[in-house]
Amino acid sequence: MPTPAVSARESEVLALLGEHLSNAEIAARLFISVRTVESHISSLLRKLEAPDRRALSRRALSERAAEASRAESAPEAPDAPEAPAAPALPAPLTAFVGRVREREELAGLVKAHRQVTAAGPGGVGKTRLALAVAAEVADDFADGVWFVDLSPVTDPARVGAAVAAAMGVGEQPGRGVDEAVVASLADRQALLVLDNCEQIRDGVAPFLERLLVACPRLKVLATSRARLMVPFERVHQVPPLSWADGGESDAVTLFMERASAAGAAPDPSLRDRIAAVCERLDGMALAIELAAARWPTLGLDGLTAGLSDQLRVLAGGFRAEDRHRSVRAALDWSHDLLEPQDRVLLRRISVFAMPFTVEDAVAVAAFAPLEPAAVADGLGRLAEQSLLAAAPSVTRHARPSATGLRYRALETIRQYGTERLADAIELTDVRSRHVAWCLRGASELAGGGADADGFKGGVGGVGGGDADGDGVDARARFDALADDLRAALAWAAAQPDRQESAHRLALSLAGLAFSRNLLGEAQQRFEQAAALADTSVGSVGSVGPGALAAATALREAAAVAGCRRLGEDMFRLHRAAAQAARRAGDTAGAGRDLAAAATNAYRFSATFTRLPGTDEVAAVLAEARELIGTGGGGSDSHGDLVGAAAMALAEAAVTADAYGAVQGDADNTAQDTVGYAERAVELARRTGDPVAESAALDALSGARSWAGDSFGAAAAARRRIDILTSAPGAPARASAPASTLAGTHERLARTHERIDALAMAAGNALGVGDLPRALRWSRQLADHPLLAEAGHHAVSWLLISEALAGHTDAVLTGSVRFLDAWEQSGRQRSFVLGPAAAAVAMVHGLRGDQDARASWLAIADRAGPVLDHRHGYGAVFDAMVLLHDGDPEAALDRVAPEPDEVWKWVCWVWLHWYVALRAEASALVGHPDARARIDAARRIVTGNPVATAQLDRAEALLDGDHVTRDARQ
């Protein structure tokens, strides 16, 4: 049977899978939605008969290698260039020269050892050598090669984030980005190239140690000025280019090639004399390239004279003791040959961490004695002298430039420029202008409107993205600015007189990172902003305003932690916010924070890896009650009302266990619990806060479910969606002053609340047979941008809804995303992941594919609570398959327990399905209690169209059985 044709778009998706991009990254690259990517991947799996996504990636790599091999062997093109490097490797703009022996040695080390460090001084050529070797050995790594430039990274804690960004690995709920990288690489045969490790060795070393231990098939090639001091490390000292062979040496060859590229090829008869120049430069690649760039204007005599003078100035020690002398000599010499204004420009633009435009350079560098009009010409001259690299903006997503070019300095030149800034006593002025430029850029990115979640356009557009590419554009603009924001923040945070700017930068970066789905960094930056707040907000010695800003930032961090499903962090951060509020004299605010901590300990208990003890939560609740008071919400003060609402919700959560927490053990009756929740809803409604009302409605939904009122639970869940959708969403800028930060917190909290509300509403709708709403809300959840990289959580309710609606093909398509994301997450366990896997198993069972059913049942056992699978959703789905297979006796055995015996596992989504299936199976086997079970089920499910139809069918079957039996008698 011929293989079905693969479309052009599918071929593009397949090629990007070969680059190991995530679904979100592929969507961004092709300007399509994540769900469209998933559809293409599902089609490819079917057409190519591939078992999983990784098989598709390997096929793409194999096809690329085969195509390259065909090109090499084609007789009509014997001189065709080598096959291109692996797609994740950057393509150098100039040819690699020489180093045959070094390439062989380093390639051999990479093949033989887990972790190799190419060490040597700045400018010796470590990066180019590493890239050349990585390209040569790429075919030995079935899962590819990734290149990560760490030079823009200033925070050692962000090494893993830089690797994740290069690989297209997103964060997973309940785990940090470092863990996501480890999970993604755990079983891959791959090579990771880490460039410029020296400035953050303290972050690289522990990250690599964890990575290499957890990923046995992974190898790492690092470049650094010094060894990393990690286990498994094998160091290769990169030597300077050899000049020993005179005019035929690698050093001279490099000089000749670069001088020719500059527009004036040296006469071959001068090669031996050029070798003497290269010797003076100690064979350092960067120094040779800088000298060659001067060849057209200085010639050999000018170069020789200039270098002789400069080296004489640097005399005082053996040059071989410090190879940096040759680079510094070349840089000093190149610097001194510049026009005075170009010297000023070179040192000032060294503050940029990322490629920048002419306009950016004007904003930061154009002040006396440098006029704005001179900046563009100066950048061009610096590029001509190889002190800057210039490249066109190849996509519409880069920051616009009047010249269409973007500039970047090598890390060595950036460091040199920074030293020159300090020498000129300009470092503070230029860094301060860079901070101001970053704040303006962040403010521009944060502008725009908001949707129901508060994230669309501006900040939200960064994390959203749709078919017209606006979200892609915002993401690209953030990526182009992010490392400069981080560098500016790192500098400002270390300056005692720049704390206010650092505070604003931290808040800006936090909000933008959240919108870019970098939730881990968003939480980190909000916490950093809180730490900076006491010294950055308000007058010196005025603790109150700073402490208030700190409390607000900590609440924002807690909201982000909620989106990350990190229960412990939510608990910790709300308690920290309470401490800050108390320092500020905001006793009521502190009480609300403590009430929120207690509430979340029960409401989101499934997101904790270690639950706080019941005594600890009770103590937090008691302290909250003392701070808030016992006014009961009768006061006219809005603050008192908000506090009373928070306290009522905490009482419903902890005292009455309205949410059905893992650690809950309330003594009150179900109706008492409903009473607690109804009071919380009423007080929250009076506050006018949609987030507070939604949280209280969640408690009411849970309480009504425990009381057996499935329809009441579903109504409360629907109300959550309504109020969160209709609530106004005018966002405050992330860089706004402390007085407006409450709006930011509300947006973040509402995003977390809406994700939870969609999940709960979909589940409750399924529980009462409202399949259209369940499908609509579960699709909205699957498309939520914050879940783009957490496909297992995103599509769980959709898989269940599609399965119960009979949409078999949709379930099979969605199961690909689920399984891929679940495996990348480290095979997490959650109360909703198990039912999703069991739903897929049911679909395979209905299709008669028992092997696939068994595989997915095993996944369900690992992905969800065991008892829930045994007594709840597992019983429901198994009974459906058994009835479909014509085995009602086995189906009845699976749902044999009375509903009251298994109420804990069927009281929410599964109660109606359970009692209806139990009644139908009883009718089919002629059980003596069949009619009584049908009647009892009708009292529960009346109003549920699906369950009612099931019972009507069961009753008809039962009546038919009686007729047949009477006729036989």
Side-chain angles (χ1 to χ4, degrees):
M1 180 177 179
T3 302
V6 174
S7 69
R9 179 64 88 184
E10 289 168 348
S11 295
E12 292 177 326
V13 171
L14 181 62
L16 294 176
L17 285 172
E19 296 184 31
H20 300 283
L21 297 186
S22 67
N23 288 355
E25 294 291 335
I26 295 173
R29 185 80 65 86
L30 299 179
F31 302 98
I32 58 179
S33 70
V34 172
R35 293 196 66 190
T36 301
V37 174
E38 294 165 6
S39 177
H40 287 315
I41 291 174
S42 177
S43 176
L44 286 166
L45 289 169
R46 183 173 63 255
K47 290 181 177 180
L48 302 180
E49 299 181 348
D52 54 32
R53 181 192 185 99
R54 289 199 180 109
L56 291 176
S57 297
R58 293 190 181 98
R59 180 177 181 124
L61 288 171
S62 175
E63 290 180 354
R64 187 183 298 113
E67 183 179 348
S69 177
R70 288 192 297 270
E72 288 180 353
S73 61
E76 64 274 14
D79 297 324
E82 296 180 6
L89 294 175
L93 298 177
T94 54
F96 186 82
V97 175
R99 291 197 184 275
V100 174
R101 180 178 58 83
E102 291 96 326
R103 290 165 71 173
E104 291 177 353
E105 291 179 356
L106 186 56
L109 289 174
V110 170
K111 292 178 180 180
H113 300 280
R114 295 288 312 285
Q115 198 270 309
V116 179
T117 300
V124 77
K126 301 184 296 294
T127 299
R128 292 298 302 270
L129 178 61
L131 283 171
V133 168
E136 288 180 8
V137 303
D139 289 343
D140 294 339
F141 297 92
D143 292 309
V145 180
W146 286 276
F147 177 85
V148 185
D149 181 9
L150 296 177
S151 61
V153 181
T154 56
D155 183 354
R158 290 201 54 76
V159 172
V163 175
M167 294 179 57
V169 173
E171 293 186 36
Q172 297 286 343
R175 69 193 320 173
V177 70
D178 286 14
E179 294 173 286
V181 171
V182 171
S184 179
L185 292 171
D187 60 350
R188 292 192 178 183
Q189 184 184 9
L191 175 65
L192 184 64
V193 182
L194 299 181
D195 193 33
N196 293 305
C197 297
E198 57 274 350
Q199 82 280 7
I200 47 169
R201 282 197 302 163
D202 291 346
V204 173
F207 174 77
L208 279 187
E209 186 166 356
R210 293 194 303 271
L211 192 66
L212 290 169
V213 169
C215 308
R217 303 173 69 202
L218 177 72
K219 293 188 176 184
V220 174
L221 172 58
T223 73
S224 177
R225 298 188 183 185
R227 63 178 303 179
L228 302 178
M229 305 296 291
V230 294
F232 315 115
E233 183 180 29
R234 186 65 176 260
V235 177
H236 174 77
Q237 199 69 38
V238 180
L241 287 167
S242 171
W243 63 87
D245 294 333
E248 302 305 317
S249 65
D250 286 350
V252 172
T253 302
L254 176 64
F255 187 100
M256 299 289 286
E257 199 278 336
R258 299 300 190 258
S260 298
D267 191 304
S269 65
L270 298 176
R271 293 181 72 105
D272 287 340
R273 294 181 62 189
I274 290 173
V277 173
C278 294
E279 181 179 3
R280 288 180 178 275
L281 297 174
D282 289 325
M284 300 296 284
L286 175 59
I288 291 171
E289 294 199 13
L290 291 172
R294 288 289 185 175
W295 178 267
T297 56
L298 295 179
L300 182 59
D301 291 340
L303 289 177
T304 303
L307 288 174
S308 295
D309 290 343
Q310 192 64 51
L311 291 174
R312 188 178 305 117
V313 172
L314 293 172
F318 292 106
R319 286 176 293 157
E321 291 178 356
D322 185 0
R323 293 288 184 181
H324 285 283
R325 290 183 181 275
S326 57
V327 176
R328 181 172 295 282
L331 288 171
D332 283 339
W333 168 71
S334 293
H335 174 270
D336 290 344
L337 288 174
L338 295 173
E339 294 295 327
Q341 285 194 327
D342 291 348
R343 297 178 198 172
V344 175
L345 182 59
L346 178 65
R347 65 179 181 251
R348 290 179 179 178
I349 53 86
S350 68
V351 297
F352 287 106
M354 295 291 288
F356 56 91
T357 67
V358 172
E359 291 78 8
D360 300 333
V362 168
V364 172
F367 62 98
L370 189 62
E371 295 294 330
V375 170
D377 289 342
L379 291 174
R381 287 190 294 271
L382 293 176
E384 290 170 0
Q385 306 305 325
S386 295
L387 292 167
L388 289 181
S393 298
V394 295
T395 73
R396 69 184 181 91
H397 307 306
R399 295 194 301 274
S401 170
T403 65
L405 294 175
R406 298 168 67 78
Y407 299 88
R408 185 173 190 175
L410 294 176
E411 180 64 17
T412 301
I413 294 174
R414 286 185 60 227
Q415 293 175 9
Y416 178 85
T418 301
E419 292 179 5
R420 286 286 181 170
L421 271 180
D423 293 341
I425 319 178
E426 287 187 339
L427 184 61
T428 298
D429 288 344
V430 176
R431 285 287 187 191
S432 297
R433 292 174 69 91
H434 182 247
V435 166
W437 172 80
C438 285
L439 284 170
R440 287 195 299 273
S443 179
E444 291 172 3
L445 272 179
D451 62 4
D453 290 335
F455 293 96
K456 182 178 181 182
V459 173
V462 179
D466 39 35
D468 62 8
D470 289 343
V472 178
D473 179 71
R475 285 194 297 271
R477 287 187 292 117
F478 170 78
D479 292 344
L481 181 65
D483 281 326
D484 276 293
L485 290 175
R486 294 166 185 140
L489 173 56
W491 177 81
Q495 310 303 311
D497 59 343
R498 294 290 188 277
Q499 297 297 283
E500 182 176 357
S501 293
H503 175 70
R504 293 175 59 205
L505 273 171
L507 289 173
S508 296
L509 186 52
L512 292 170
F514 182 86
S515 303
R516 185 61 175 90
N517 289 1
L518 302 175
L519 304 189
E521 181 173 13
Q523 181 181 328
Q524 173 197 355
R525 300 306 179 185
F526 277 128
E527 293 191 52
Q528 185 179 13
L532 290 163
D534 284 340
T535 56
S536 66
V537 180
S539 60
V540 176
S542 177
V543 175
L548 282 173
T552 302
L554 288 166
R555 292 170 192 138
E556 291 166 339
V560 179
C563 295
R564 299 177 69 200
R565 297 178 58 84
L566 297 177
E568 286 97 331
D569 280 5
M570 292 183 72
F571 189 68
R572 169 181 62 83
L573 290 165
H574 274 300
R575 296 182 74 179
Q579 292 178 354
R582 294 190 76 164
R583 290 200 312 274
D586 182 11
T587 305
R592 293 193 296 270
D593 285 316
L594 291 174
T599 298
N600 290 336
Y602 275 65
R603 184 184 180 195
F604 300 112
S605 59
T607 68
F608 284 72
T609 55
R610 187 193 67 80
L611 283 168
T614 54
D615 291 343
E616 181 182 2
V617 177
V620 171
L621 185 62
E623 186 178 359
R625 187 182 295 111
E626 179 182 350
L627 294 173
I628 290 174
T630 56
S635 170
D636 291 334
S637 166
H638 183 264
D640 290 344
L641 181 61
V642 172
M647 196 65 223
L649 182 60
E651 295 281 7
V654 179
T655 305
D657 190 26
Y659 296 110
V662 173
Q663 72 274 37
D665 189 20
D667 293 330
N668 51 281
T669 66
Q671 288 305 318
D672 290 337
T673 301
V674 171
Y676 273 99
E678 287 177 337
R679 179 173 182 272
V681 170
E682 173 58 23
L683 289 173
R685 183 190 61 76
R686 289 167 57 191
T687 69
D689 180 355
V691 174
E693 187 176 355
S694 173
L697 284 166
D698 191 24
L700 180 59
S701 180
R704 286 175 173 171
S705 179
W706 314 144
D709 182 7
S710 298
F711 294 102
R718 284 197 304 274
R719 175 61 182 155
R720 293 181 68 191
I721 299 294
D722 292 341
I723 63 171
L724 291 172
T725 301
S726 61
R733 293 183 184 273
S735 57
S739 61
T740 64
L741 288 179
T744 303
H745 170 66
E746 180 183 348
R747 270 198 329 279
L748 298 177
R750 184 147 46 92
T751 299
H752 178 214
E753 191 68 30
R754 182 168 172 80
I755 290 173
D756 181 75
L758 287 170
M760 296 302 100
N764 276 285
L766 284 174
V768 296
D770 189 351
L771 294 180
R773 281 196 175 103
L775 288 166
R776 181 168 73 250
W777 290 327
S778 59
R779 284 169 182 155
Q780 291 178 20
L781 186 68
D783 289 337
H784 199 286
L786 286 187
L787 298 179
E789 298 295 342
H792 50 319
H793 284 286
V795 302
S796 287
W797 283 114
L798 183 58
L799 287 174
I800 300 167
S801 301
E802 300 277 21
L804 292 175
H807 302 164
T808 301
D809 289 342
V811 173
L812 298 180
T813 298
S815 67
V816 175
R817 180 181 179 190
F818 177 94
L819 183 57
D820 183 55
W822 181 66
E823 289 179 341
Q824 288 190 30
S825 76
R827 300 185 176 185
Q828 291 178 327
R829 188 182 293 271
S830 170
F831 79 95
V832 70
L833 299 180
V840 178
M842 179 192 73
V843 168
H844 284 296
L846 295 177
R847 297 174 73 245
D849 189 342
Q850 297 306 317
D851 290 340
R853 171 171 161 75
S855 296
W856 278 93
L857 285 175
I859 293 170
D861 280 336
R862 294 194 299 270
V866 175
L867 292 178
D868 288 48
H869 190 199
R870 183 180 305 161
H871 301 300
Y873 58 81
V876 168
F877 289 135
D878 288 350
M880 287 183 176
V881 174
L882 291 166
L883 287 176
H884 176 80
D885 290 344
D887 193 352
E889 290 84 0
L892 183 58
D893 184 64
R894 194 69 180 87
V895 291
E898 292 287 342
D900 287 346
E901 297 176 27
V902 292
W903 70 271
K904 183 175 182 180
W905 299 285
V906 302
C907 63
W908 181 37
V909 177
W910 311 111
L911 177 61
H912 288 194
W913 299 94
Y914 186 91
V915 298
L917 284 165
R918 191 167 182 267
E920 184 176 13
S922 298
L924 285 168
V925 301
H927 191 281
D929 295 332
R931 192 170 297 280
R933 291 178 176 179
I934 291 173
D935 292 341
R938 283 195 186 280
R939 290 192 293 272
I940 295 172
V941 308
T942 298
N944 180 329
V946 178
T948 297
Q950 240 179 318
L951 293 177
D952 289 344
R953 181 175 60 193
E955 191 162 23
L957 290 169
L958 187 61
D959 289 341
D961 284 345
H962 280 296
V963 170
T964 302
R965 189 178 302 110
D966 291 342
R968 285 198 300 268
Q969 290 176 345

